[in-house]
Amino acid sequence: MNIVFLDRSTFPDHIDIPSPQVTHSWTSYDETDPAMVVDRLAQADIVVTNKVVLNAQVLAQCPTVKMVAVTATGVNNVDLEYCRSKNIAVANVSGYAANTVAEHILSFMFSLSRNQPSFLQDQRQSGWQQATQFCRFVAPIRDLKNQVIGIVGSGAIGSALGEKCSALGMQVHFAERPGADEIRSGKIAFDDLLAVADFVALCCPLAENNYHLMGAEQFSHMKSSAFLINTSRGPLVNEADLVAAIQGQQIAGAALDVAEQEPLSASSPLNALTQQPNFILTPHIAWASDSAMNRLLAGVMNNIENFVNGHRDQFLV
């Protein structure tokens, strides 16, 4: 089998990429420009990709490809309908990052509720050295206990976050899908969740029906003391509306690990917030603890081995 990894640099250098326990030829590229994809897959049987787009136009020019192994959970960069029509197996890895993303969200929540960016910024300006008392009060501090977390998405990550927040003594609510005719057991209406939550955490995949799930209307339903957290996909949030909501003090702030355009564009509306202490932006690394990446890559290799050994019924994604 000829295996080609198109974007190895989506993992840091200190993370070893294991080799599948099958006879293979393995070629790895740090990055692959869209114009180079077809050439690099000219003789490939299996393509490994994280974010390189494999649409119908590209795959139609790669007739030897029999499997796409995605080094992620999301597969929105792969044309699944085309793969289905051509019997190309597509395999992802789910659940590997549930704990680490939930922990990242918790770190956001602790930082925002305790106003840590304000205190850190003050200390960089030698604020404590100028204090006349043993402590220095810069901004209010809130405990997480008894606060309300509204979680949008009840999959592995949302469920893990709910468990951790419950253990901290928070009130945990899961949102029903916006516009749903019925409210399922254990969930509350989306708009009702926005109205009561101190934190709204987006833990859902991006789909056609939730593009810009959070926009001006949704921010107007939130409490002025509430925070938005998004570690899922950037297009779930209308970034211009988020900037307006924070600058207009409609909501207290936000923490994001994703953006509509990645890497972050120089023209992104989010750049207007990056110096504000009530806004935190990390570069899409909530999933990327060492242990999570090792689990992910082990899962990718397991998928490849199962495919090569003829266990193909579990694919297509």
Side-chain angles (χ1 to χ4, degrees):
M1 285 286 178
N2 185 9
I3 305 173
V4 177
F5 192 176
L6 292 174
D7 50 358
R8 194 264 182 249
S9 66
T10 53
F11 294 86
D13 291 340
H14 72 274
I15 296 295
D16 292 328
I17 306 295
S19 297
Q21 301 301 310
V22 294
T23 302
H24 67 280
S25 168
W26 178 277
T27 305
S28 180
Y29 300 99
D30 282 344
E31 299 178 1
T32 299
D33 184 87
M36 304 169 69
V37 175
V38 173
D39 285 343
R40 290 185 171 179
L41 298 183
Q43 304 298 322
D45 297 294
I46 297 174
V47 52
V48 183
T49 179
N50 191 327
K51 292 294 183 285
V52 175
V53 174
L54 299 175
N55 56 29
Q57 181 180 4
V58 168
L59 291 170
Q61 300 176 72
C62 306
T64 62
V65 170
K66 304 174 183 64
M67 180 193 187
V68 177
V70 182
T71 60
T73 300
V75 292
N76 51 298
N77 57 319
V78 181
D79 191 322
L80 298 183
E81 288 304 316
Y82 180 87
C83 290
R84 184 176 287 108
S85 69
K86 299 298 181 180
N87 199 31
I88 298 173
V90 180
N92 66 346
V93 182
S94 62
Y96 71 93
N99 179 74
T100 194
V101 175
E103 286 190 7
H104 199 83
I105 295 171
L106 280 181
S107 74
F108 279 159
M109 293 166 61
F110 277 116
S111 186
L112 291 170
S113 65
R114 305 194 73 82
N115 261 308
Q116 288 180 344
S118 294
F119 285 96
L120 292 171
Q121 185 178 72
D122 181 70
Q123 187 52 33
R124 293 189 188 101
Q125 299 167 354
S126 301
W128 198 9
Q129 288 89 326
Q130 302 166 28
T132 58
Q133 299 293 335
F134 73 98
C135 61
R136 180 172 170 83
F137 299 109
V138 175
I141 298 172
R142 293 156 50 181
D143 290 336
L144 289 182
K145 185 176 182 179
N146 295 324
Q147 290 198 58
V148 178
I149 172 76
I151 303 174
V152 183
S154 54
I157 293 172
S159 297
L161 177 61
E163 291 177 2
K164 295 179 188 300
C165 290
S166 180
L168 291 170
M170 299 185 71
Q171 299 179 48
V172 179
H173 295 304
F174 287 92
E176 184 55 86
R177 294 175 182 174
D181 294 330
E182 297 182 6
I183 307 300
R184 291 169 289 175
S185 175
K187 298 181 182 293
I188 67 172
F190 180 70
D191 288 343
D192 291 344
L193 177 137
L194 296 178
V196 301
D198 296 299
F199 294 90
V200 175
L202 304 183
C203 301
C204 55
L206 178 66
E208 292 183 1
N209 62 356
N210 63 10
Y211 175 78
H212 281 182
L213 174 69
M214 297 297 299
E217 179 181 354
Q218 289 72 37
F219 295 130
S220 71
H221 293 160
M222 292 173 62
K223 299 193 294 187
S224 60
S225 59
F227 297 96
L228 173 73
I229 298 177
N230 184 18
T231 57
S232 293
R233 290 291 183 267
L236 291 170
V237 178
N238 184 314
E239 293 176 348
D241 288 354
L242 174 63
V243 172
I246 292 176
Q247 292 180 334
Q249 299 183 346
Q250 276 190 304
I251 64 173
L256 309 179
D257 184 56
V258 289
E260 288 208 58
Q261 182 177 338
E262 296 176 349
L264 190 70
S265 167
S267 62
S268 170
L270 299 179
N271 290 312
L273 299 175
T274 53
Q275 300 303 312
Q276 294 189 201
N278 60 343
F279 178 73
I280 303 173
L281 181 64
T282 53
H284 205 140
I285 44 82
W287 64 280
S289 70
D290 286 3
S291 57
M293 287 190 287
N294 286 328
R295 283 193 298 272
L296 167 59
L297 290 167
V300 171
M301 297 311 155
N302 185 63
N303 285 339
I304 291 174
E305 290 170 17
N306 282 338
F307 177 81
V308 172
N309 290 327
H311 307 299
R312 305 183 181 188
D313 292 342
Q314 59 185 299
F315 313 124
L316 183 89
V317 169

